[in-house]
Amino acid sequence: SLIASTDLTVNTPAQEVRAEQISIQQMLLLKAGTTSQSILRRKGDDVRIDWGYLYIGVPGGADVSQQIITPDGPARSTSVTGTSLALETTWKLHQVGNQNNHRVAVLAYDDIASVQYFGDNRPAYWKSSAATMEQRFPRWMAAYFGLRNASNDFDEELYTHARESGGEQYAKLCVMAYRQAIAAHKLTTSPEGELLFLSKENFSNGSINTVDVTYPSAPLFLIYNSKLMEGMLNGIFYYSESGKWTKPIAAHDLGTYPLANGQTYPEDMPVEESGNMIILTAAIVKDQQSGDYARKHWKTLTTWAEYLSKEGFDPANQLCTDDFAGHLARNANLSVKAIVALGAYGQMAGVLGDTVTSKQYLTLARDMAKRWMTMAADGDHYSLTFDKKGTWSQKYNLVWDKLLKLDLFPKEVYQTEVSYYLNKQNAFGLPLDSRRTYTKSDWIIWTATLADRQEDFEAFIKPIYKFATETPTRVPLCDWHETTDGKQVGFQARSVVGGYFIKMLEKKWLQMEEQARESH
């Protein structure tokens, strides 16, 4: 038997649910959803969808049956209203013996409307064609074996490429992260037809399309589908370009999930988010080998670059993506982000044929990098802030200088930091900085990617793998943990683990560059 609880369709078990049996085109279906169907009425973090419908579909036949289970036992009716019901599918397998005997069921969820985007309830991307959920089941069943084989082939390909990029333990971390990174998003379109791939900031504050959640998760999507990467930026660009957001910096988010009606986070992250948007646009340009996406948003990118040229080098007291660590002035790693973003803007200007702007911004970024090296220097490493010597932090933002081939910072800066970090590791990883012993596993892998030697990269990976496989906290993969005992500090099930794929992204881009050289 396969049994699914109707609690999958409610926020709390006390909510009333209607379950029913349906048949369509030789398919048997069980369907359940709340009687209230308050579509997009519930928002926030620790809440569950209580609108839309859960389906379980199987091919009809003499050996399969479906029924609805109530707390008192099997229902006598094909339609039942109540609480905590169950949907049961039963197969008679008869004598199995040594033969390959399988049965297939399709589980699906129709959320009716996925998100609200500036007042407009938007359907899921799959609804772009006219077929209803019920009409799709026969197609899905017919496609099952092809999809299964394609999925198995992809699993093997991902694992092989990850192992070739970063070793066995790195590959296993990527496998752990893959589904979670994708699942923490909704795929839909804007009223204008633009793709929207909107994240939920799980187990944090429930924001939708948070830019500093998009930033760490980006490597996975840059590897496999840069159109999804565009879908993560499109809403933020629209927010500024529509005039709904009037500040000369990028917004932090588009609202509280699933309502993307405008920023709800109480404080801006000016350098953080503006830098993130410019860097990620440059990553799309590099990956697509085309300036089209940057050209489309050049005016907005220019506004943000002008802001960073004035305020980015020596940041005021403000939050960065590591907002859980509190405000920080003169943040050296945040300064790196601004410098790299300005270099990325200059690089994109060159792609678009504006050599004057390109030279201006690349020169500015290189001059800033030289000043940074002097101001952040702290003996055998670079400090957490410009004014606090005897401190340190992971300079994970440097990784885009390396991947985008901006060459703003000398390679010695990477090597100096990597050598220092290798002596700061604890049993379960490298701390985020000198203030505390907790860490962010996504940032460690970015930091590790600064290493030139494979053995140094794998030395950073080993404690993260130990955390992922030995942590005493039994939750979906968490990205904020304690390096001394491996316990979760906070966050889980978040899309940011897409950042684990950054070493694979480096390898992909190196191969692209090699192919381009050979073709010339």
Side-chain angles (χ1 to χ4, degrees):
S1 290
L2 169 67
I3 300 175
S5 170
T6 59
D7 285 356
L8 290 168
T9 69
V10 299
N11 181 48
T12 62
Q15 287 178 271
E16 187 180 69
V17 172
R18 182 169 181 262
E20 57 183 321
Q21 293 176 254
I22 308 168
S23 61
I24 182 171
Q25 297 179 39
Q26 289 79 52
M27 293 286 298
L28 300 179
L29 301 179
L30 289 167
K31 174 183 178 181
T34 57
T35 54
S36 59
Q37 288 299 305
S38 301
I39 296 172
L40 295 171
R41 295 287 180 84
R42 196 178 296 280
K43 65 177 182 177
D45 193 9
D46 188 15
V47 296
R48 286 138 294 279
I49 189 171
D50 57 1
W51 64 89
Y53 297 94
L54 168 70
Y55 290 84
I56 300 175
V58 293
D63 64 348
V64 63
S65 62
Q66 291 188 318
Q67 63 179 342
I68 302 163
I69 309 293
T70 73
D72 299 322
R76 295 179 180 177
S77 171
T78 58
S79 179
V80 180
T81 300
T83 58
S84 296
L85 307 176
L87 310 179
E88 182 181 46
T89 302
T90 304
W91 293 270
K92 294 177 182 177
L93 295 179
H94 309 293
Q95 185 81 23
V96 176
N98 294 325
Q99 62 188 346
N100 183 9
N101 200 325
H102 67 270
R103 296 293 184 271
V104 178
V106 177
L107 278 70
Y109 202 101
D110 181 1
D111 58 9
I112 313 298
S114 285
V115 298
Q116 187 173 94
Y117 184 69
F118 296 101
D120 194 329
N121 288 1
R122 304 303 301 162
Y125 184 79
W126 66 266
K127 291 196 170 192
S128 54
S129 67
T132 65
M133 179 68 90
E134 287 90 343
Q135 291 167 340
R136 289 169 184 269
F137 274 87
R139 300 185 204 174
W140 288 334
M141 195 58 67
Y144 168 71
F145 288 104
L147 291 171
R148 185 190 67 176
N149 293 339
S151 179
N152 289 342
D153 290 346
F154 176 78
D155 288 349
E156 193 173 313
E157 177 188 304
L158 186 157
Y159 188 80
T160 300
H161 289 172
R163 188 182 61 220
E164 290 171 351
S165 300
E168 201 81 36
Q169 291 184 334
Y170 173 70
K172 290 177 179 177
L173 285 170
C174 288
V175 169
M176 291 181 211
Y178 178 79
R179 181 182 176 277
Q180 176 174 306
I182 297 170
H185 291 82
K186 280 287 188 179
L187 183 62
T188 183
T189 57
S190 71
E192 295 75 28
E194 282 200 317
L195 198 67
L196 298 172
F197 193 51
L198 307 177
S199 62
K200 179 183 178 186
E201 193 171 337
N202 290 332
F203 285 82
S204 174
N205 70 341
S207 288
I208 187 169
N209 207 184
T210 303
V211 176
D212 59 285
V213 167
T214 293
Y215 178 66
S217 65
L220 170 63
F221 304 103
L222 287 164
I223 291 171
Y224 292 114
N225 191 338
S226 63
K227 287 296 178 184
L228 291 178
M229 188 73 253
E230 289 182 21
M232 298 160 82
L233 306 188
N234 285 339
I236 300 294
F237 277 122
Y238 170 78
Y239 195 16
S240 282
E241 291 161 0
S242 65
K244 299 176 191 298
W245 177 260
T246 57
K247 299 178 184 180
I249 56 173
H252 170 272
D253 60 79
L254 288 184
T256 301
Y257 188 91
L259 307 181
N261 295 323
Q263 179 172 312
T264 50
Y265 196 72
E267 187 174 346
D268 297 333
M269 297 185 188
V271 175
E272 175 71 38
E273 311 303 18
S274 303
N276 290 341
M277 288 295 293
I278 294 172
I279 290 168
L280 293 178
T281 303
I284 290 171
V285 167
K286 181 177 179 71
D287 194 71
Q288 296 179 350
Q289 300 179 63
S290 166
D292 289 350
Y293 191 72
R295 183 180 289 108
K296 183 177 180 181
H297 301 292
W298 195 246
K299 184 178 178 182
T300 307
L301 291 165
T302 299
T303 298
W304 296 337
E306 288 172 349
Y307 172 83
L308 290 178
S309 70
K310 298 181 182 74
E311 306 291 343
F313 175 73
D314 195 350
N317 191 39
Q318 59 187 266
L319 294 174
C320 70
T321 184
D322 305 316
D323 53 358
F324 52 83
H327 292 72
L328 199 62
R330 315 198 74 189
N331 182 337
N333 187 45
L334 191 58
S335 176
V336 168
K337 177 166 290 180
I339 296 167
V340 171
L342 291 167
Y345 176 82
Q347 185 182 71
M348 288 188 287
V351 172
L352 296 179
D354 185 348
T355 53
V356 174
T357 300
S358 179
K359 183 178 180 182
Q360 175 191 345
Y361 274 87
L362 284 168
T363 300
L364 174 64
R366 290 189 181 112
D367 288 346
M368 284 183 171
K370 290 175 186 172
R371 287 168 56 204
W372 184 94
M373 290 170 62
T374 300
M375 291 174 64
D378 195 6
D380 56 356
H381 68 284
Y382 296 92
S383 55
L384 169 67
T385 64
F386 290 140
D387 58 339
K388 291 185 174 69
K389 302 307 173 184
T391 61
W392 64 274
S393 65
Q394 292 188 45
K395 307 301 188 299
Y396 52 80
N397 288 317
L398 273 171
V399 76
W400 294 104
D401 184 44
K402 184 179 184 185
L403 267 61
L404 293 171
K405 296 287 181 71
L406 298 171
D407 299 323
L408 305 175
F409 292 85
K411 298 295 186 290
E412 291 76 22
V413 174
Y414 309 166
Q415 292 162 5
T416 295
E417 288 291 274
V418 166
S419 297
Y420 188 79
Y421 300 146
L422 285 169
N423 294 313
K424 291 295 181 181
Q425 295 206 101
N426 291 325
F428 293 93
L430 175 68
L432 183 66
D433 58 48
S434 53
R435 290 174 291 178
R436 300 282 291 273
T437 53
Y438 59 51
T439 197
K440 290 280 274 90
S441 54
D442 47 346
W443 297 148
I444 294 178
I445 298 178
W446 288 32
T447 295
T449 303
L450 292 171
D452 281 334
R453 301 192 315 161
Q454 186 69 17
E455 55 263 43
D456 289 343
F457 176 81
E458 293 187 28
F460 288 113
I461 296 302
K462 187 176 181 180
I464 310 174
Y465 183 75
K466 178 180 174 68
F467 155 72
T469 55
E470 297 180 21
T471 173
T473 316
R474 309 316 297 168
V475 297
L477 189 58
C478 103
D479 54 286
W480 181 18
H481 71 269
E482 180 53 64
T483 62
T484 55
D485 58 17
K487 291 181 180 178
Q488 175 192 30
V489 177
F491 305 158
Q492 66 194 53
R494 302 204 314 157
S495 64
V496 301
V497 295
Y500 289 10
F501 287 76
I502 199 155
K503 186 68 173 174
M504 288 177 70
L505 179 64
E506 179 187 42
K507 185 178 179 69
K508 176 191 174 181
W509 283 355
L510 287 171
Q511 289 173 336
M512 278 171 46
E513 290 160 8
E514 192 175 320
Q515 289 166 1
R517 283 194 298 270
E518 289 173 356
S519 66
H520 289 131

